[in-house]
Every structure is written in C-alpha cells, then in structure tokens.
Amino acid sequence: MEELLVTREELIQLFENQIIEDSGRGWIMEGKVVDIVALHDIEPKFLQDVTNAKFYKLIIKGNK
C-alpha cells in the first residue's frame, strides 16, 4: 500500500481537479481505492471537527 501525506489545501485541490473522485462507495484516485485519514496535532478526545486537520494521509489500497 502506498501512502501520501498532503495538506488540507492540497486535498481540496485533488478533489477540485477531480484527481480524487467520490464514487458513492468510496474515494477513487487513478483507478484505485483511497482511504483518507485526518492527522491532528491534538488528542483525539478533544477533536470537534475531523475536516479541520492540517494534514491528511492518503492510503492507496488497490483497484476499485
């Protein structure tokens, strides 16, 4: 499995440029299923909004 670390702004650009697409069953990038994990600088129990992370890890799993 390949992993990429991107900023929030880079992730938004990937969606806007349709490099990552929502298939309705998951996210697809270059024909492969992608998991998106929010990376926060604070303890998980204090999280209020998972969409407000500074960085995200993209885990490229395999074919759709």
Side-chain angles (χ1 to χ4, degrees):
M1 270 186 279
E2 183 181 347
E3 294 182 0
L4 299 171
L5 186 65
V6 296
T7 64
R8 182 175 189 272
E9 292 77 19
E10 290 170 327
L11 182 63
I12 291 168
Q13 288 290 3
L14 290 171
F15 277 102
E16 286 178 349
N17 295 331
Q18 297 180 345
I19 295 169
I20 297 177
E21 297 180 359
D22 187 353
S23 71
R25 299 180 94 187
W27 295 295
I28 307 296
M29 180 173 152
E30 299 174 352
K32 297 182 179 175
V33 176
V34 176
D35 283 341
I36 300 174
V37 179
L39 303 175
H40 294 276
D41 294 334
I42 59 175
E43 293 281 331
K45 65 182 177 181
F46 297 115
L47 292 179
Q48 298 294 320
D49 184 4
V50 296
T51 63
N52 201 20
K54 291 183 181 180
F55 292 96
Y56 293 84
K57 184 190 308 185
L58 305 179
I59 302 171
I60 303 169
K61 297 175 92 173
N63 296 332
K64 55 180 173 176

